[in-house]
């Protein structure tokens, strides 16, 4: 794999690392396919008892790779829908992990990066990072990540940041329900290890069954929600706003509505 690394130890920990640091871990088509494949493989491994999702470099994830997004303009609606659903499939595979999934967020995250955070069971973030659902500035919407973001944050909290591209920090993410704990950057490794150790001290079968029960009691993201969000994004791609917004970004000029 080129963009996803998997690190293991002898205790039952598997760490999925986003490894496209030179591009701020922006999610390209290949990267999303690799991420989906890794998550599906780990789900089948009974020896894996807890999974950590982390990232290399200064950023956690800059969201969808804009060059990949721009290529979608030349596609017909059906092909574009299939292509844009890659992130939904990757998020779905992470969300479906039977093991606890811990998010280790050391740097900034935007768009799809927040989707990655939202599918985690717990997220520990470093102080000083910046976050945002920035799609509407480009004429798009946070669609494929939407079911998971809203499920985690709740509609009332998500409404504060879902429609205005406002940037916020880790402390506000804690208040909004996206993050469980905020620590100094130097303490992030120790905080993750503390949570890993707690999980590994418990019966592995019981932990998996407890996660499954929690999902049933708390309400799960449905396949219908995911498909509906994919359709919503496909519709948005057909608009002049989407074309103008992406073009303005690449031309380094203000969008018409700015």
């Amino acid at each position: 794999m080129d963009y996803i690394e998997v690190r293991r130890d002898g205790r039952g920990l598997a760490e999925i690392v986003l490894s496209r640091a030179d591009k701020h871990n922006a999610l390209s088509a290949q990267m999303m396919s690799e991420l989906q494949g890794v998550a599906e493989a780990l789900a089948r491994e009974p020896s894996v008892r807890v999974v950590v999702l982390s990232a290399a470099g200064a950023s956690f994830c800059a969201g969808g790779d804009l060059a990949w997004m721009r290529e979608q303009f030349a596609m017909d609606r059906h092909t574009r829908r299939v292509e844009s659903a890659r992130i939904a499939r990757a998020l779905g595979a992470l969300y479906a992990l039977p093991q606890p999934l811990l998010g280790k967020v050391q740097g900034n995250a935007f768009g799809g990066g927040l989707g990655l955070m939202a599918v985690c069971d717990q997220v520990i973030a470093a102080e000083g990072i910046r976050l945002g659902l920035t799609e509407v500035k480009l004429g798009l919407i946070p669609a494929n990540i939407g079911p998971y973001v809203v499920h985690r944050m709740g509609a009332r909290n998500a409404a504060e940041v879902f429609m205005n591209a406002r940037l916020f920090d880790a402390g506000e993410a804690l208040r909004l329900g996206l993050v469980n704990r905020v620590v100094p950057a130097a303490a992030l490794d120790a905080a993750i290890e503390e949570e890993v150790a707690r999980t590994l001290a418990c019966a592995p079968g019981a932990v998996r069954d407890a996660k499954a029960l929690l999902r049933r009691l708390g309400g799960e993201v449905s396949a219908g929600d995911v498909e509906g969000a994919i359709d919503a994004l496909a519709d948005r791609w057909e608009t002049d706003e989407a074309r103008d917004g992406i073009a303005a970004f690449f031309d380094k000029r203000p969008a018409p509505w700015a």
Side-chain angles (χ1 to χ4, degrees):
M1 292 180 291
D2 295 323
Y3 300 130
I4 301 295
E5 181 183 355
V6 180
R7 302 171 184 168
R8 304 169 185 265
D9 67 14
R11 302 176 298 165
L13 166 66
E15 183 174 3
I16 301 171
V17 185
L18 309 179
S19 297
R20 200 183 180 212
D22 61 320
K23 298 294 185 181
H24 298 280
N25 295 311
L27 296 165
S28 66
Q30 179 182 343
M31 190 175 181
M32 287 183 279
S33 294
E34 290 181 6
L35 186 57
Q36 178 186 353
V38 163
E40 290 173 347
L42 292 177
R44 297 190 295 267
E45 294 188 29
S47 62
V48 175
R49 299 173 57 187
V50 60
V51 180
V52 171
L53 177 63
S54 67
S59 300
F60 179 71
C61 177
D65 183 274
L66 284 172
W68 164 72
M69 292 166 63
R70 195 180 197 183
E71 291 173 359
Q72 295 178 45
F73 282 124
M75 303 173 183
D76 60 43
R77 187 182 190 280
H78 171 75
T79 306
R80 188 186 300 122
R81 186 186 186 280
V82 171
E83 186 67 17
S84 70
R86 286 178 183 271
I87 189 169
R89 294 196 296 271
L91 292 175
L94 289 167
Y95 180 76
L97 280 168
Q99 307 95 332
L101 177 61
L102 307 177
K104 178 183 176 182
V105 181
Q106 91 297 354
N108 295 344
F110 305 104
L114 271 66
L116 293 174
M117 295 168 64
V119 297
C120 294
D121 298 299
Q122 290 192 67
V123 176
I124 303 178
E127 293 175 345
I129 65 171
R130 302 291 283 169
L131 309 164
L133 295 162
T134 54
E135 290 87 345
V136 291
K137 277 194 171 182
L138 299 174
L140 299 173
I141 55 176
N144 290 332
I145 65 173
Y148 302 102
V149 170
V150 175
H151 182 264
R152 182 171 179 86
M153 297 171 63
R156 181 176 180 177
N157 285 345
E160 294 189 36
V161 294
F162 205 79
M163 298 171 284
N164 55 23
R166 180 170 67 81
L167 301 185
F168 53 100
D169 62 17
E172 189 167 6
L174 181 65
R175 178 182 68 79
L176 293 172
L178 182 63
V179 166
N180 297 88
R181 186 176 168 192
V182 179
V183 299
L188 186 57
D189 287 345
I192 289 290
E193 175 54 31
E194 182 179 31
E195 293 300 329
V196 168
R198 286 193 181 116
T199 301
L200 295 178
C202 299
V207 169
R208 289 181 179 227
D209 288 349
K211 176 171 178 175
L213 177 61
L214 178 63
R215 285 283 175 82
R216 289 198 299 272
L217 295 176
E220 298 192 62
V221 173
S222 71
D225 289 338
V226 172
E227 290 299 313
I230 294 171
D231 285 334
L233 183 58
D235 292 341
R236 176 106 292 258
W237 271 109
E238 299 293 320
T239 67
D240 291 337
E241 283 186 348
R243 294 181 181 275
D244 291 344
I246 296 294
F249 177 87
F250 278 99
D251 292 344
K252 295 181 171 55
R253 55 177 171 79
W257 51 83

